Amino acid sequence: MVGAQWGDEGKGKITDLLSRSADVVVRYQGGVNAGHTVVVNDTTFKLHLIPSGILYPETKCLIASGTVIDPKVLVQELDNLQALGIPADNLRISQTAHVTMPYHRLIDLAEEERKGENKIGTTGRGIGPTYADKSDRTGFRVLDLMCPDRFRAKLDWVLPLKNVLLEKLYGLEALDAEAIQAEYMLYAERLGQYVVDTALFIDQAVRSRKNILFEGAQGTLLDLDHGTYPYVTSSNPISGGACVGSGVGPTIIDRVIGVTKAYTTRVGEGPFPTELKDEVGQHLGDVGAEFGTTTGRARRCGWFDAVIGRYAVRINGLDCLAITKLDVLDELDEIKVCVAYKIDGQKVTEIPLDVHLFGRCEPIYETLPGWKTFTSDCRTVEELPKAAYNYLKFLAAQTGIPVAIVSLGAARGQTIIVEDPIHGPKRGLLYDGDLAVHPLGAE
């Protein structure tokens, strides 16, 4: 399951829903820069590293090697779950995942400030610097965290180099090795019980014919290789990243589910062709509560971008969509969908890979009627207003894949399951291969 836009698509709720049918849920990339919110009854769970499947007592939840782990935040998440009566006995942490260190956070914030107008809008959580050290082979892995002597020996080698950066380049105070050692050994003591070889764990689950859900963080357009570079994250949120980050072969994956909002949002800097800086954009932000789970930053809002949608289908090999926040559109008189771009007067139907060209894209819209009816109580597609049903049909036709799930609110029950993507047969629901908009119930 992957995000099909710029992240923040509501993947936490969809993971929670799909976890009912999953024996194992695997988080395969990203770090605490991701935030998943799940609402169960009247309780809101905000998760950053632990997969949303932790709310199901029988589901095993893995943080695989492709993630980067801030142990301080992970311990806080465990404490929060414990306070809410949620056990974490089924959590497993990869011994080869990399660890975010205190200097990673400081460097992240300082580097964004140094860039000034060229900043990319990171969360400041140290994710990029952690991945940079991983590539530079100077990073700390969970294995190192579990061995005090090894951890200290590496720290005595790496920290002087980082302190030079902190002091000379960024004008910050040097960090103390003793203080870091003491703090991180407390984390090691708390987390040690969960550390395993997660790739082996997954292989054993595959051989036992278990249902495994790979949970992506961020979104397709934030992918390091295939996103709107340089305004991207430091890992690969696309479906191919699940294999690399989890240590599995591509042949074991049989479905790829894309999560997308019924409109589009983006956090941070970078081009956003359908962004609305008017009262409609404000309405989407207010009604959709568009504030980041991790940072609290307001998200930029705009109309649904089908060009991005088709790109996500191609890059990920998506075979169905989960569309979230359809209810946010309930009060609008009309709704627009971007079906192509115009660059210097020329129509284009694909995303330019050059971010400077992408920044010059003007959206070409198709306008559909709104439904002016509240949808949050609908539980089948037949109960949807005709215009809402037609809107979903149009999105399916524009992206070329069926809609399997429709979310109409934050609560678990505010969902239409058109098809169970794990147990259900692959069918062309809400999509019949053309661009026609059909009346409610017609196929």
Side-chain angles (χ1 to χ4, degrees):
M1 185 206 69
V2 299
Q5 295 169 316
W6 274 289
D8 308 309
E9 299 95 348
K11 296 183 294 298
K13 175 181 176 178
I14 304 304
T15 301
D16 175 66
L17 288 169
L18 297 179
S19 294
R20 297 179 303 179
S21 303
D23 302 299
V24 181
V25 180
V26 183
R27 169 74 183 279
Y28 59 85
Q29 49 76 222
V32 297
N33 54 343
H36 290 171
T37 301
V38 180
V39 179
V40 182
N41 298 324
D42 295 325
T43 304
T44 298
F45 299 89
K46 292 183 180 294
L47 302 169
H48 298 277
L49 281 167
I50 300 175
S52 307
I54 200 70
L55 303 181
Y56 292 90
E58 302 302 319
T59 302
K60 300 293 190 296
C61 292
L62 277 57
I63 302 175
S65 61
T67 58
V68 293
I69 296 173
D70 187 327
K72 180 179 181 179
V73 176
L74 182 52
V75 167
Q76 289 172 346
E77 279 193 40
L78 290 170
D79 289 342
N80 292 340
L81 288 173
Q82 184 177 7
L84 293 169
I86 305 297
D89 298 341
N90 287 333
L91 177 65
R92 301 291 185 272
I93 302 170
S94 171
Q95 56 189 347
T96 56
H98 277 248
V99 175
T100 296
M101 301 292 286
Y103 47 78
H104 290 137
R105 294 187 290 268
L106 293 173
I107 291 172
D108 196 358
L109 290 168
E111 185 61 19
E112 274 288 274
E113 184 177 351
R114 189 182 72 86
K115 289 177 180 176
E117 294 182 357
N118 295 316
K119 66 180 181 179
I120 61 174
T122 77
T123 60
R125 298 301 198 267
I127 308 304
T130 308
Y131 275 115
D133 279 4
K134 176 180 180 177
S135 297
D136 198 37
R137 279 88 73 188
T138 58
F140 287 80
R141 300 195 296 177
V142 172
L143 280 169
D144 301 317
L145 186 63
M146 295 300 126
C147 181
D149 292 341
R150 183 194 306 168
F151 183 87
R152 183 52 185 267
K154 194 165 194 177
L155 187 63
D156 287 341
W157 167 57
V158 173
L159 188 59
L161 302 175
K162 299 300 181 182
N163 278 338
V164 170
L165 278 177
L166 293 174
E167 292 182 291
K168 303 300 183 183
L169 181 58
Y170 301 118
L172 301 174
E173 292 184 6
L175 297 176
D176 179 64
E178 289 288 346
I180 294 175
Q181 177 84 11
E183 178 185 358
Y184 274 63
M185 288 306 101
L186 291 176
Y187 301 146
E189 184 177 349
R190 179 71 185 279
L191 300 175
Q193 61 182 306
Y194 305 110
V195 177
V196 299
D197 181 344
T198 53
L200 178 60
F201 189 101
I202 296 169
D203 181 70
Q204 292 169 342
V206 171
R207 294 176 185 277
S208 299
R209 304 189 68 79
K210 301 293 186 181
N211 284 324
I212 304 168
L213 174 63
F214 296 93
E215 173 191 17
Q218 287 90 38
T220 299
L221 275 297
L222 292 178
D223 187 87
L224 181 60
D225 291 292
H226 301 286
T228 49
Y229 189 89
Y231 305 101
V232 294
T233 193
S234 302
S235 60
N236 294 108
I238 61 172
S239 59
C243 298
V244 177
S246 302
V248 301
T251 54
I252 75 161
I253 297 175
D254 55 4
R255 296 210 74 172
V256 185
I257 305 160
V259 184
T260 177
K261 281 177 183 164
Y263 50 101
T264 308
T265 64
R266 176 167 197 172
V267 172
E269 308 300 320
F272 183 0
T274 67
E275 183 174 11
L276 296 170
K277 298 181 180 180
D278 56 12
E279 64 277 4
V280 177
Q282 185 66 44
H283 174 83
L284 294 176
D286 292 342
V287 177
E290 295 298 351
F291 298 92
T293 302
T294 299
T295 64
R297 290 183 295 180
R299 297 173 184 140
R300 301 154 63 190
C301 299
W303 295 120
F304 187 92
D305 190 330
V307 183
I308 286 173
R310 292 191 293 270
Y311 181 77
V313 170
R314 173 163 61 87
I315 292 296
N316 293 290
L318 302 182
D319 57 15
C320 66
L321 289 176
I323 295 182
T324 65
K325 295 196 173 184
L326 181 69
D327 57 300
V328 174
L329 306 179
D330 285 350
E331 300 176 64
L332 298 178
D333 293 318
E334 62 179 27
I335 301 164
K336 296 182 179 181
V337 176
C338 173
V339 297
Y341 302 139
K342 186 183 296 183
I343 303 177
D344 300 331
Q346 299 295 314
K347 180 179 178 180
V348 296
T349 56
E350 298 290 342
I351 295 177
L353 298 181
D354 184 335
V355 72
H356 300 287
L357 281 178
F358 189 45
R360 287 163 39 203
C361 285
E362 300 175 28
I364 297 174
Y365 288 118
E366 293 279 348
T367 302
L368 285 77
W371 41 93
K372 305 289 287 184
T373 304
F374 291 111
T375 59
S376 57
D377 291 332
C378 296
R379 296 297 177 266
T380 67
V381 290
E382 289 76 19
E383 294 174 18
L384 287 171
K386 178 179 178 180
Y389 180 90
N390 283 343
Y391 180 68
L392 293 174
K393 290 279 287 187
F394 189 78
L395 298 190
Q398 283 291 326
T399 56
I401 57 173
V403 176
I405 297 172
V406 182
S407 175
L408 303 158
R412 276 178 173 172
Q414 292 179 305
T415 312
I416 297 174
I417 306 294
V418 187
E419 171 194 358
D420 184 334
I422 293 181
H423 289 304
K426 298 182 182 181
R427 296 176 293 180
L429 299 170
L430 289 180
Y431 173 61
D432 55 13
D434 61 37
L435 296 181
V437 179
H438 297 275
L440 182 64
E443 294 297 334

PDB file of all heavy atoms in Angstrom, residues 42-53:
ATOM      1  N   ASP A  42     -13.727   6.832  20.034  1.00  0.00           N
ATOM      2  CA  ASP A  42     -13.444   8.234  20.336  1.00  0.00           C
ATOM      3  C   ASP A  42     -11.967   8.483  20.605  1.00  0.00           C
ATOM      4  O   ASP A  42     -11.589   9.565  21.076  1.00  0.00           O
ATOM      5  CB  ASP A  42     -14.253   8.679  21.564  1.00  0.00           C
ATOM      6  CG  ASP A  42     -15.751   8.663  21.298  1.00  0.00           C
ATOM      7  OD1 ASP A  42     -16.144   8.968  20.154  1.00  0.00           O
ATOM      8  OD2 ASP A  42     -16.513   8.350  22.224  1.00  0.00           O
ATOM      9  N   THR A  43     -11.113   7.498  20.310  1.00  0.00           N
ATOM     10  CA  THR A  43      -9.693   7.619  20.601  1.00  0.00           C
ATOM     11  C   THR A  43      -8.904   7.838  19.312  1.00  0.00           C
ATOM     12  O   THR A  43      -9.102   7.125  18.330  1.00  0.00           O
ATOM     13  CB  THR A  43      -9.162   6.360  21.314  1.00  0.00           C
ATOM     14  OG1 THR A  43      -9.929   6.139  22.499  1.00  0.00           O
ATOM     15  CG2 THR A  43      -7.702   6.530  21.700  1.00  0.00           C
ATOM     16  N   THR A  44      -8.030   8.833  19.323  1.00  0.00           N
ATOM     17  CA  THR A  44      -7.176   9.124  18.172  1.00  0.00           C
ATOM     18  C   THR A  44      -5.761   8.655  18.459  1.00  0.00           C
ATOM     19  O   THR A  44      -5.168   9.003  19.476  1.00  0.00           O
ATOM     20  CB  THR A  44      -7.158  10.638  17.875  1.00  0.00           C
ATOM     21  OG1 THR A  44      -8.486  11.062  17.555  1.00  0.00           O
ATOM     22  CG2 THR A  44      -6.245  10.942  16.693  1.00  0.00           C
ATOM     23  N   PHE A  45      -5.225   7.824  17.571  1.00  0.00           N
ATOM     24  CA  PHE A  45      -3.866   7.316  17.686  1.00  0.00           C
ATOM     25  C   PHE A  45      -3.006   7.991  16.633  1.00  0.00           C
ATOM     26  O   PHE A  45      -3.333   7.960  15.443  1.00  0.00           O
ATOM     27  CB  PHE A  45      -3.834   5.794  17.473  1.00  0.00           C
ATOM     28  CG  PHE A  45      -4.643   5.017  18.481  1.00  0.00           C
ATOM     29  CD1 PHE A  45      -5.986   4.753  18.265  1.00  0.00           C
ATOM     30  CD2 PHE A  45      -4.058   4.548  19.646  1.00  0.00           C
ATOM     31  CE1 PHE A  45      -6.734   4.040  19.180  1.00  0.00           C
ATOM     32  CE2 PHE A  45      -4.793   3.837  20.572  1.00  0.00           C
ATOM     33  CZ  PHE A  45      -6.137   3.576  20.346  1.00  0.00           C
ATOM     34  N   LYS A  46      -1.910   8.606  17.073  1.00  0.00           N
ATOM     35  CA  LYS A  46      -0.968   9.239  16.152  1.00  0.00           C
ATOM     36  C   LYS A  46       0.330   8.441  16.179  1.00  0.00           C
ATOM     37  O   LYS A  46       1.005   8.377  17.210  1.00  0.00           O
ATOM     38  CB  LYS A  46      -0.731  10.696  16.540  1.00  0.00           C
ATOM     39  CG  LYS A  46      -1.964  11.581  16.341  1.00  0.00           C
ATOM     40  CD  LYS A  46      -1.654  13.033  16.679  1.00  0.00           C
ATOM     41  CE  LYS A  46      -2.884  13.910  16.488  1.00  0.00           C
ATOM     42  NZ  LYS A  46      -3.315  14.011  15.079  1.00  0.00           N
ATOM     43  N   LEU A  47       0.647   7.815  15.051  1.00  0.00           N
ATOM     44  CA  LEU A  47       1.806   6.934  14.950  1.00  0.00           C
ATOM     45  C   LEU A  47       2.791   7.497  13.942  1.00  0.00           C
ATOM     46  O   LEU A  47       2.400   8.085  12.931  1.00  0.00           O
ATOM     47  CB  LEU A  47       1.361   5.523  14.535  1.00  0.00           C
ATOM     48  CG  LEU A  47       0.342   4.858  15.472  1.00  0.00           C
ATOM     49  CD1 LEU A  47      -0.228   3.606  14.823  1.00  0.00           C
ATOM     50  CD2 LEU A  47       0.984   4.519  16.815  1.00  0.00           C
ATOM     51  N   HIS A  48       4.073   7.290  14.210  1.00  0.00           N
ATOM     52  CA  HIS A  48       5.118   7.789  13.316  1.00  0.00           C
ATOM     53  C   HIS A  48       6.000   6.667  12.780  1.00  0.00           C
ATOM     54  O   HIS A  48       6.384   6.673  11.624  1.00  0.00           O
ATOM     55  CB  HIS A  48       5.975   8.828  14.040  1.00  0.00           C
ATOM     56  CG  HIS A  48       5.207  10.036  14.473  1.00  0.00           C
ATOM     57  ND1 HIS A  48       4.941  11.085  13.635  1.00  0.00           N
ATOM     58  CD2 HIS A  48       4.614  10.337  15.647  1.00  0.00           C
ATOM     59  CE1 HIS A  48       4.216  11.998  14.272  1.00  0.00           C
ATOM     60  NE2 HIS A  48       4.014  11.565  15.495  1.00  0.00           N
ATOM     61  N   LEU A  49       6.310   5.708  13.619  1.00  0.00           N
ATOM     62  CA  LEU A  49       7.159   4.586  13.213  1.00  0.00           C
ATOM     63  C   LEU A  49       6.440   3.250  13.286  1.00  0.00           C
ATOM     64  O   LEU A  49       6.622   2.395  12.419  1.00  0.00           O
ATOM     65  CB  LEU A  49       8.412   4.532  14.105  1.00  0.00           C
ATOM     66  CG  LEU A  49       9.536   5.508  13.769  1.00  0.00           C
ATOM     67  CD1 LEU A  49      10.547   5.569  14.901  1.00  0.00           C
ATOM     68  CD2 LEU A  49      10.233   5.122  12.473  1.00  0.00           C
ATOM     69  N   ILE A  50       5.641   3.060  14.311  1.00  0.00           N
ATOM     70  CA  ILE A  50       4.960   1.778  14.513  1.00  0.00           C
ATOM     71  C   ILE A  50       3.812   1.645  13.514  1.00  0.00           C
ATOM     72  O   ILE A  50       2.985   2.553  13.394  1.00  0.00           O
ATOM     73  CB  ILE A  50       4.431   1.663  15.947  1.00  0.00           C
ATOM     74  CG1 ILE A  50       5.592   1.759  16.942  1.00  0.00           C
ATOM     75  CG2 ILE A  50       3.673   0.359  16.141  1.00  0.00           C
ATOM     76  CD1 ILE A  50       5.161   1.778  18.397  1.00  0.00           C
ATOM     77  N   PRO A  51       3.736   0.550  12.768  1.00  0.00           N
ATOM     78  CA  PRO A  51       2.639   0.364  11.810  1.00  0.00           C
ATOM     79  C   PRO A  51       1.272   0.417  12.490  1.00  0.00           C
ATOM     80  O   PRO A  51       1.115   0.016  13.655  1.00  0.00           O
ATOM     81  CB  PRO A  51       2.913  -1.036  11.228  1.00  0.00           C
ATOM     82  CG  PRO A  51       4.382  -1.237  11.407  1.00  0.00           C
ATOM     83  CD  PRO A  51       4.724  -0.551  12.691  1.00  0.00           C
ATOM     84  N   SER A  52       0.281   0.905  11.741  1.00  0.00           N
ATOM     85  CA  SER A  52      -1.067   1.053  12.289  1.00  0.00           C
ATOM     86  C   SER A  52      -1.673  -0.284  12.700  1.00  0.00           C
ATOM     87  O   SER A  52      -2.612  -0.313  13.505  1.00  0.00           O
ATOM     88  CB  SER A  52      -1.972   1.733  11.253  1.00  0.00           C
ATOM     89  OG  SER A  52      -1.397   2.936  10.799  1.00  0.00           O
ATOM     90  N   GLY A  53      -1.156  -1.376  12.163  1.00  0.00           N
ATOM     91  CA  GLY A  53      -1.662  -2.696  12.527  1.00  0.00           C
ATOM     92  C   GLY A  53      -1.482  -3.050  13.989  1.00  0.00           C
ATOM     93  O   GLY A  53      -2.045  -4.045  14.463  1.00  0.00           O
TER      94      GLY A  53
END
